[in-house]
Amino acid sequence: MSIAVDRYELGPLQTNCYVVRSGRADAEAVVIDPGGDITQLRLELARMGAKVVAILLTHGHWDHVLGVVDLVEASGAPVYLSAAELPELESEGPELLGFSPLNSFTPDHLLADGDKLELAGLAIEVLSVPGHRPGHMA
């Protein structure tokens, strides 16, 4: 069985968002970087018969987190983010560019380099890749 990865371009900057499942037929999914209106994403998840069990954020830039609050409300899934990215969640990036302020949220789990996660039947190892952001994770 191979991992199923579906990519969607969300938000005003068409930021990549990924839905990852352990296989095409699996019902549990991890969503990575829901960066915009999640209406279409929710329709795609329903079409797949997939339930979001976790939301992973690679970093805290506003264009990667715009849809988090709505996706949490729709799915109840916990949010994972690097502890080093917490200050970025308080920035006013979207307002500076003329977009609405972010709905605030607090991650349920703070990640660090080397963490190992078991989510949706997937074994995930967290890697620190600072550069774009100090707390950027892969």
Side-chain angles (χ1 to χ4, degrees):
M1 181 182 312
S2 62
I3 294 175
V5 179
D6 295 289
R7 182 181 65 86
Y8 302 92
E9 295 174 0
L10 301 181
L13 299 182
Q14 297 189 332
T15 302
N16 288 328
C17 170
Y18 299 93
V19 174
V20 184
R21 295 177 288 154
S22 60
R24 283 274 164 225
D26 289 331
E28 292 187 334
V30 172
V31 173
I32 302 170
D33 289 347
D37 180 0
I38 63 156
T39 303
Q40 186 61 37
L41 179 63
R42 288 183 65 196
L43 290 171
E44 289 296 322
L45 289 162
R47 182 189 58 73
M48 296 177 200
K51 176 184 188 258
V52 179
V53 298
I55 301 165
L56 302 180
L57 302 174
T58 58
H59 62 288
H61 274 160
W62 64 270
D63 62 314
H64 288 254
V65 303
L66 280 173
V68 169
V69 171
D70 291 338
L71 190 56
V72 168
E73 287 175 1
S75 68
V79 178
Y80 295 74
L81 176 71
S82 167
E85 289 299 288
L86 290 176
E88 183 64 20
L89 295 182
E90 298 168 1
S91 75
E92 297 181 11
E95 288 181 284
L96 296 175
L97 296 172
F99 299 110
S100 303
L102 288 173
N103 291 328
S104 64
F105 66 92
T106 301
D108 300 288
H109 302 279
L110 297 177
L111 300 173
D113 185 52
D115 284 351
K116 294 186 185 336
L117 308 172
E118 293 285 334
L119 302 167
L122 300 163
I124 300 169
E125 182 177 354
V126 178
L127 301 173
S128 177
V129 289
H132 180 63
R133 286 283 313 147
H136 201 146
M137 298 282 185

